[in-house]
């Protein structure tokens, strides 16, 4: 990951005073996930360039991971884009290595730290799924001239098209501290909020401090409150805070106070992220008439599925694409179920599900943990809770372990598949496993317009390959039902809007 900072303010080597890094030295700074280097490719009185280079150690990154998700393939921890593209790893290194520069502190050149200077910032690879136009809407209101060129997937194979990375060059006359704070906030927002560390409430203060808003009654003079007045502040805030609704609401309320000078208490009684399953967006509705309230949309979805399974009197369920086990946690507490199975393609998700399901464990005689084991004594006739089986597998590959269940659930799964893989999924689930009941839920793209900060045409999650309208989902479901001998009924999940329907649409297939 590379950032170069160039200035022609003379003497240009004063850039070293602002960065607190001497132009004649190459310095290295160890991080938990690699090593950051600061050096100067050129340093003259007329022109000076400083470079921040982050070398990521994949093994160190793996050791530092706890519960953070990664792409769904076996070598994802070692083979991915993070060593090359600016990401949350880079912004963490930026914040640590250039901390004094971001604060605008300079004992030797205090006046220079408060003076706008000509700057050119260049990052050769920046993830930005929305594309170059989004980069311009983020940086141009801050005084930058933006050059954002898509990086091709392979220059030698132009037919493959462009990747979702940009070569980004920013040119402008600003205080260096301002320029760095812009990168500190906007790079994670452009990436889509996929941070490599756990996001908690402290991220709100980090965001506000870098954006120049008051934190604990103190205003950072050099920040100048740029985020509070930014036309895309809702989009930036939502993505920086990884779409955790409670934090987003709190941050937006505090930004409004900073802008208006009046206290407008935010809604701090929300449910945190919780509005979507692990890895999906918990977006903030802009229309109070359709605002998600307690319980969260994810809880409503799981509750609706549980109710359908109960009404169909199923005795065994397989959750295909179980993720971190949100639905499994409900199912194992249902005493009418004799067998519960969870399947996911991602081993890390299954580990999260195992930890979630083992919250009620106690060691058995062999020193192992038994999920949801019954106490030693229980009332006569009470049924033991089912012990869930967790399987590593894919919904697009035939697997005999999927057979023999009364019901199969695909909760927010189909939209993560490439359209070309849908026929394989249909054959595996409806043709080969062929349970008596299949429950499918997926986002209703028509409802997306009610989510604040979600651009037109943008999906709720970066990994969604598509999102269906109600008519498109109904057409697909009706075709699958006819093809495999099922009938299907369609149910809404979540608050319904008279024009756009509910945020989640459900299809219940029965033999």
């Amino acid at each position: 990951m590379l950032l170069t900072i160039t200035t022609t303010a003379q003497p240009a080597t004063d850039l070293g005073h602002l960065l607190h890094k001497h132009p004649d030295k190459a310095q290295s700074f160890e991080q938990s996930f690699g090593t950051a280097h600061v050096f100067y490719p050129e340093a003259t009185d007329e022109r000076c360039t400083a470079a921040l280079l982050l070398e990521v150690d994949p093994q160190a990154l793996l050791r530092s991971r706890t519960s953070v998700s990664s792409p769904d393939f076996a070598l994802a921890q070692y083979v991915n884009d993070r060593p090359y593209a600016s990401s949350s790893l880079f912004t963490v290194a930026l914040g640590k290595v250039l901390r004094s520069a971001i604060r605008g502190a300079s004992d030797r050149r205090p006046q220079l730290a408060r003076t706008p200077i000509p700057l050119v910032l260049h990052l050769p690879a920046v993830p930005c799924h929305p594309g170059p136009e989004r980069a311009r809407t983020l940086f141009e209101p801050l005084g930058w001239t933006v050059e954002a060129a898509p990086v091709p997937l392979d220059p030698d194979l132009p037919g493959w098209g462009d990747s979702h990375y940009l070569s980004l060059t920013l040119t402008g006359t600003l205080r260096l501290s301002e320029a760095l704070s812009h990168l500190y906030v906007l790079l994670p927002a452009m990436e889509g909020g996929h941070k490599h560390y756990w996001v908690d409430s402290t991220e709100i203060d980090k965001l506000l401090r870098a954006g120049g808003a008051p934190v604990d009654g103190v205003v950072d003079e050099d920040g100048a409150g740029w985020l509070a007045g930014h036309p895309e502040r809702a989009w930036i805030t939502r993505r920086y805070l990884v779409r955790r609704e409670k934090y987003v609401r709190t941050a937006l309320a505090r930004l409004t106070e900073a802008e208006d000078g009046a206290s407008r208490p935010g809604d701090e009684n929300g449910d945190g992220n919780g509005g979507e399953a692990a890895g999906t967006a918990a977006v903030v509705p802009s229309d109070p008439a359709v605002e998600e309230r307690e319980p969260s949309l994810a809880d409503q979805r799981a509750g609706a599925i549980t109710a359908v399974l109960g009404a169909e009197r199923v005795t065994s369920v397989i959750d295909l694409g179980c993720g971190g086990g949100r639905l499994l946690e409900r199912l194992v507490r249902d005493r009418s179920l004799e067998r519960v199975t969870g399947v996911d393609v991602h081993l890390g998700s299954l580990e999260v599900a195992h930890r979630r399901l083992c919250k009620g464990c106690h060691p058995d005689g062999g020193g192992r943990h038994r999920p949801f084991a019954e106490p030693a004594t229980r009332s006569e006739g009470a049924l033991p809770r089912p012990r869930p089986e967790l399987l590593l597998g894919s919904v697009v590959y035939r697997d005999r372990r999927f057979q023999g269940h009364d019901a199969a659930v695909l909760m927010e799964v189909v939209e993560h598949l490439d359209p070309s893989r849908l026929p394989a999924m249909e054959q595996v689930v409806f043709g080969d496993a062929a349970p008596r009941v299949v429950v499918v839920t997926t986002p209703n793209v028509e409802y997306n317009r009610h989510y604040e900060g979600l651009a037109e045409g943008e999906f709720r999650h970066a990994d969604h390959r598509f999102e269906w309208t109600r008519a498109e989902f109904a057409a697909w479901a009706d075709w699958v039902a006819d093809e495999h001998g099922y009938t299907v009924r369609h149910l809404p999940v979540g608050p319904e809007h008279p024009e756009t329907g509910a945020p989640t649409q459900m299809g219940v297939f029965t033999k």
Side-chain angles (χ1 to χ4, degrees), residues 55 87 92 100 125 164 305 316 324 354 366 377 435 474 497 500 511:
E55 288 185 296
S87 68
V92 168
S100 296
H164 62 268
I305 292 171
S316 58
H354 176 73
T377 61
H497 188 278
T500 59
K511 281 260 184 199

Side-chain angles (χ1 to χ4, degrees), residues 24-25 32 47 87 138 206 250 274 297 327 336 357 416 436 438 448 477 481 499:
D24 293 339
K25 297 180 180 178
S32 62
R47 181 182 171 93
S87 68
L138 294 177
K206 290 182 184 178
T250 301
L297 180 57
L327 179 61
S336 67
L357 297 173
H416 292 272
R436 178 169 58 87
V438 180
N448 286 0
E499 296 179 2

Side-chain angles (χ1 to χ4, degrees), residues 398-442:
R398 186 173 299 174
D399 193 325
R400 67 181 61 183
R401 298 174 301 173
F402 297 173
Q403 300 174 355
H405 295 82
D406 267 359
V409 175
L410 293 96
M411 184 175 75
E412 308 300 283
V413 170
V414 296
E415 64 272 11
H416 292 272
L417 303 176
D418 288 319
S420 62
R421 304 297 284 164
L422 285 176
M425 180 276 294
E426 295 158 9
Q427 184 57 43
V428 167
V429 177
F430 295 91
D432 188 56
R436 178 169 58 87
V437 179
V438 180
V439 182
V440 178
T441 71
T442 190

Side-chain angles (χ1 to χ4, degrees), residues 343-413:
V343 178
D344 203 274
V345 73
H346 182 210
L347 181 60
S349 295
L350 292 177
E351 292 171 347
V352 173
H354 176 73
R355 289 195 295 270
R356 179 194 292 268
L357 297 173
C358 283
K359 286 188 292 188
C361 295
H362 65 80
D364 66 13
R368 295 167 298 173
H369 286 277
R370 301 174 57 194
F372 295 96
E374 290 296 306
T377 61
R378 52 187 174 89
S379 59
E380 187 70 23
L383 295 176
R385 298 178 183 179
R387 295 182 61 185
E389 183 179 12
L390 299 179
L391 306 177
L392 184 65
S394 169
V395 73
V396 298
Y397 293 103
R398 186 173 299 174
D399 193 325
R400 67 181 61 183
R401 298 174 301 173
F402 297 173
Q403 300 174 355
H405 295 82
D406 267 359
V409 175
L410 293 96
M411 184 175 75
E412 308 300 283
V413 170

Side-chain angles (χ1 to χ4, degrees), residues 8 88 136 147 149 155 174 211 254 257 442 460 474 505-506:
T8 54
S88 61
R136 285 188 278 271
E147 294 180 29
L174 297 90
R254 290 170 63 179
E257 294 176 14
T442 190
R460 297 186 199 177
Q505 44 193 338
M506 175 190 289

Side-chain angles (χ1 to χ4, degrees), residues 28-39:
S28 298
F29 305 87
E30 294 300 322
Q31 311 293 309
S32 62
F33 42 77
T35 306
H37 307 275
V38 177
F39 56 94

Side-chain angles (χ1 to χ4, degrees), residues 33-52:
F33 42 77
T35 306
H37 307 275
V38 177
F39 56 94
Y40 289 76
E42 57 180 339
T44 67
D45 287 345
E46 292 74 29
R47 181 182 171 93
C48 185
T49 298
L52 172 62

